[in-house]
């Protein structure tokens, strides 16, 4: 689908509620499936990725039904699936389910779409194999054929700060005798740890190490808050479109996800948190954004996992900041739904940004008047589609985004909410 986006002169105004967090939705449906009894998930994401996880849980014998909420009835035991389990475009689904399925007493096959089949799975195959798992793959890529085995515990030190890898090992450890520990170089998002605790698991974290023991999960009522990674597009749009003043309601503010807020503050952006509260073990608040003049910043090291998914739209933000913004230590961006370093640099260059690719990030000189007036590509990547849409709002000439339908992976409501702020 092609989408034309043009410059907005009158500013974004008003307030919107941010739809459900994708990361928390995946975890809610998996953990509810592993608990014995009825769980209620309020505000489950409508994105295609969490729906892939939900479908897989159903294929594993879990009873799930949407009333107003998502009602999960499970025995806590999964059943051998009738066919392959399709993770679609979702790396989170594949890596989490590998951790769940490796220790079951049945075999299973996880498949994915073209993009997911190119993404590295060695990061989960290797530690799971050390735990006794048997996983056959296509040179460490999907499809993954998992021959269920009794796993044993492990002390794993990861060289990647990845919540997907961490969660995979914690989910495998949930089913193992003894203590499993996972140590990461920097702290990645900790939704899995929080939700496991919320559902009664024996889990604790000390600095960068998380320890889990075999546990029985209690069913729960889980309310999913809004996704800060979705809010990020409006945070950036509100900062760079002149005359904007907006409020984003119900945004998850877990400190392992709020890197973008720290960076916007460092850039001099006008951002305010209102009504901070706690929902199902996660910090939540409303965010007020006003159009701001911005200065460049360097983004590197331990903040990277706290804003990893926001880096494409932060690149757009940096084109509108005075000075040289440097983003480094983000080489794993090349392993996302697309090579996000190459993709964002190529597409922002087309519309007139002064941006250069480096091995582990990019360098942007601003402030630049973006010209647009061309077609841009999404690389089948939802975050590219939305980042380019935001860039289009400040281009002098309209841009045409090819493959805009990819937004449905995480944020089907994106354009409708954008239009609400423009009306
Ligand atoms: C996610 C973790 C991140 C992120 C992804 C969702 C999660 O991946 O990029 O979109 O829900 O745990 P990594 O942990 O591999 O960096």
């Amino acid at each position: 689908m092609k989408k034309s986006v043009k410059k907005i002169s009158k500013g974004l105004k008003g307030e919107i509620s941010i739809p459900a967090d994708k990361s928390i939705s995946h975890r809610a449906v998996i953990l509810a499936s592993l608990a014995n009894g009825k769980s209620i998930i309020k505000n489950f994401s409508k994105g295609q990725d969490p729906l892939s996880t939900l479908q897989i849980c159903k294929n594993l014998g879990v009873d799930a039904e949407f009333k107003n909420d998502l009602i999960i009835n499970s025995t806590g035991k999964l059943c051998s699936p009738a066919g392959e389990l399709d993770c679609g475009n979702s790396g989170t689904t594949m890596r989490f389910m590998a951790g769940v399925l490796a220790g079951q007493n049945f075999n299973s096959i996880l498949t994915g779409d073209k993009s997911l089949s190119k993404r590295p799975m060695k990061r989960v195959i290797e530690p799971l194999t050390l735990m006794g798992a048997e996983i056959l793959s296509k040179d460490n890529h999907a499809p993954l054929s998992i021959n269920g085995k009794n796993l044993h515990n492990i002390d794993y030190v990861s060289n990647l700060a990845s919540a997907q890898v961490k969660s995979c090992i914690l989910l495998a450890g949930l089913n193992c005798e003894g203590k499993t520990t996972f140590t990461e170089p920097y702290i990645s998002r900790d939704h899995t740890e929080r939700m496991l605790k919320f559902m009664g698991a024996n889990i604790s974290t000390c600095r960068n190490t998380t320890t889990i023991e075999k546990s029985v999960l209690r069913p729960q009522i889980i309310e999913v808050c809004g996704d800060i990674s979705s809010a990020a597009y409006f945070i950036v749009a509100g900062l760079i479109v002149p005359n904007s003043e907006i409020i984003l309601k119900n945004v998850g503010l877990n400190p392992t996800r709020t890197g973008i807020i720290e960076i916007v503050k460092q850039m001099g952006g006008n951002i305010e948190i209102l009504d901070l509260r706690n929902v199902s073990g996660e910090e939540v608040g409303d965010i007020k954004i006003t159009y701001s003049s911005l200065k460049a910043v360097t983004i590197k090291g331990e903040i990277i996992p706290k804003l990893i998914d926001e880096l494409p739209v932060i690149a757009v933000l940096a084109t509108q900041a005075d000075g040289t913004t440097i983003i480094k230590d983000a080489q794993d961006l090349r392993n996302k739904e697309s090579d996000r370093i190459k993709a964002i640099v190529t597409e922002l260059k087309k519309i007139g940004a002064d941006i250069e690719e480096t091995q582990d990030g990019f360098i942007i000189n601003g402030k630049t008047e973006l010209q647009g007036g061309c077609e841009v590509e999404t690389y089948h990547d939802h975050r590219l589609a939305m980042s380019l849409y935001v860039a289009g709002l400040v281009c002098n000439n309209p841009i045409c985004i090819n493959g805009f339908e990819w937004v449905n992976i995480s944020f089907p409501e994106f354009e409708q909410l954008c239009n609400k702020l423009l009306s």
Side-chain angles (χ1 to χ4, degrees):
M1 187 225 273
K2 287 182 188 289
K3 177 66 59 190
S4 176
V5 189
K6 61 178 196 301
K7 188 168 190 155
I8 300 302
S9 41
K10 65 182 171 92
L12 300 165
K13 300 273 181 208
E15 59 178 56
I16 53 172
S17 264
I18 297 297
D21 190 282
K22 172 165 89 75
S23 289
I24 298 176
S25 295
H26 285 292
R27 288 154 170 87
V29 70
I30 293 173
L31 297 190
S33 298
L34 297 175
N36 178 4
K38 174 176 165 182
S39 290
I40 300 176
I41 306 175
K42 294 176 180 284
N43 192 34
F44 187 75
S45 166
K46 310 275 182 306
Q48 282 169 6
D49 274 6
L51 292 174
S52 294
T53 301
L54 172 60
Q55 187 56 49
I56 287 180
C57 291
K58 285 184 174 181
N59 294 352
L60 291 165
V62 174
D63 181 41
E65 193 189 354
F66 275 106
K67 299 231 168 123
N68 260 342
D69 302 321
L70 174 60
I71 314 292
I72 305 278
N73 274 298
S74 181
T75 57
K77 299 257 177 293
L78 303 177
C79 305
S80 174
E84 295 178 350
L85 300 167
D86 182 5
C87 303
N89 189 245
S90 174
T92 312
T93 307
M94 186 166 281
R95 294 181 178 130
F96 282 31
M97 291 315 300
V100 171
L101 292 168
Q104 301 292 329
N105 58 6
F106 55 79
N107 299 343
S108 51
I109 299 177
L110 291 169
T111 63
D113 71 3
K114 229 166 136 184
S115 140
L116 182 53
S117 304
K118 286 193 209 137
R119 295 178 65 186
M121 293 300 146
K122 187 174 178 195
R123 57 186 64 195
V124 292
I125 294 175
E126 202 165 76
L128 287 173
T129 304
L130 289 171
M131 296 175 85
E134 192 179 305
I135 302 178
L136 306 176
S137 70
K138 230 170 127 187
D139 198 16
N140 286 311
H141 293 83
L144 306 184
S145 290
I146 302 177
N147 297 328
K149 293 265 180 273
N150 263 336
L151 304 184
H152 48 79
N153 63 334
I154 190 179
D155 290 315
Y156 192 67
V157 180
S158 172
N159 57 7
L160 268 179
S162 161
Q164 293 187 354
V165 177
K166 174 172 62 178
S167 302
C168 169
I169 303 311
L170 295 178
L171 288 167
L174 184 64
N175 213 4
C176 293
E177 298 302 333
K179 289 184 178 174
T180 294
T181 68
F182 184 90
T183 303
E184 52 189 344
Y186 303 130
I187 301 198
S188 61
R189 66 191 68 186
D190 67 354
H191 303 300
T192 306
E193 297 89 303
R194 287 175 184 232
M195 201 178 289
L196 279 166
K197 196 165 213 168
F198 187 60
M199 296 178 74
N202 214 332
I203 182 165
S204 60
T205 299
C206 180
R207 285 191 285 275
N208 296 9
T209 299
T210 302
T211 305
I212 190 160
E213 287 180 74
K214 191 176 178 109
S215 312
V216 173
L217 299 184
R218 282 192 304 267
Q220 270 290 4
I221 299 176
I222 302 165
E223 186 164 345
V224 182
C225 57
D227 196 328
I228 189 165
S229 298
S230 299
Y233 303 101
F234 299 110
I235 293 177
V236 172
L239 289 167
I240 66 175
V241 174
N243 305 313
S244 295
E245 185 174 321
I246 56 176
I247 293 185
L248 309 172
K249 301 200 68 121
N250 191 34
V251 184
L253 294 171
N254 177 318
T256 61
R257 294 284 299 280
T258 49
I260 186 165
I261 295 179
E262 291 173 43
I263 290 303
V264 165
K265 286 184 178 159
Q266 285 178 34
M267 294 174 89
N270 205 329
I271 187 164
E272 223 180 304
I273 306 297
L274 314 168
D275 193 15
L276 193 61
R277 51 202 185 267
N278 192 289
V279 176
S280 298
E282 296 276 346
E283 296 84 346
V284 177
D286 302 335
I287 303 181
K288 183 175 175 196
I289 313 285
T290 315
Y291 171 71
S292 306
S293 81
L294 301 163
K295 56 180 191 290
V297 71
T298 295
I299 306 176
K300 60 174 185 172
E302 69 179 316
I303 199 167
I304 294 290
K306 297 182 182 158
L307 45 63
I308 186 78
D309 291 340
E310 289 64 80
L311 285 170
V313 78
I314 288 175
V316 175
L317 181 67
T319 68
Q320 303 306 301
D322 285 320
T324 302
T325 291
I326 301 172
I327 291 162
K328 48 201 238 185
D329 302 326
Q331 55 274 30
D332 209 33
L333 266 191
R334 295 193 184 274
N335 297 317
K336 297 293 178 185
E337 286 83 330
S338 67
D339 175 343
R340 287 185 176 153
I341 295 181
K342 194 173 254 351
I344 198 71
V345 169
T346 307
E347 300 311 304
L348 289 183
K349 262 191 184 161
K350 282 186 192 166
I351 61 174
D354 181 349
I355 179 168
E356 288 305 326
E357 178 178 345
T358 62
Q359 172 261 326
D360 63 347
F362 27 84
I363 298 174
I364 301 152
N365 291 307
K367 174 178 182 175
T368 314
E369 212 172 293
L370 299 178
Q371 294 307 327
C374 58
E375 295 205 355
V376 289
E377 305 300 324
T378 58
Y379 302 77
H380 303 177
D381 185 336
H382 56 129
R383 304 222 179 270
L384 256 290
M386 292 182 278
S387 300
L388 293 169
Y389 190 103
V390 172
L393 298 175
V394 295
C395 282
N396 285 339
N397 303 291
I399 60 169
C400 177
I401 306 174
N402 289 326
F404 191 70
E405 68 280 4
W406 285 93
V407 299
N408 293 329
I409 289 294
S410 63
F411 197 176
E413 310 86 344
F414 173 73
E415 208 190 357
Q416 182 205 335
L417 289 176
C418 223
N419 288 336
K420 197 171 168 205
L421 297 175
L422 293 172
S423 60

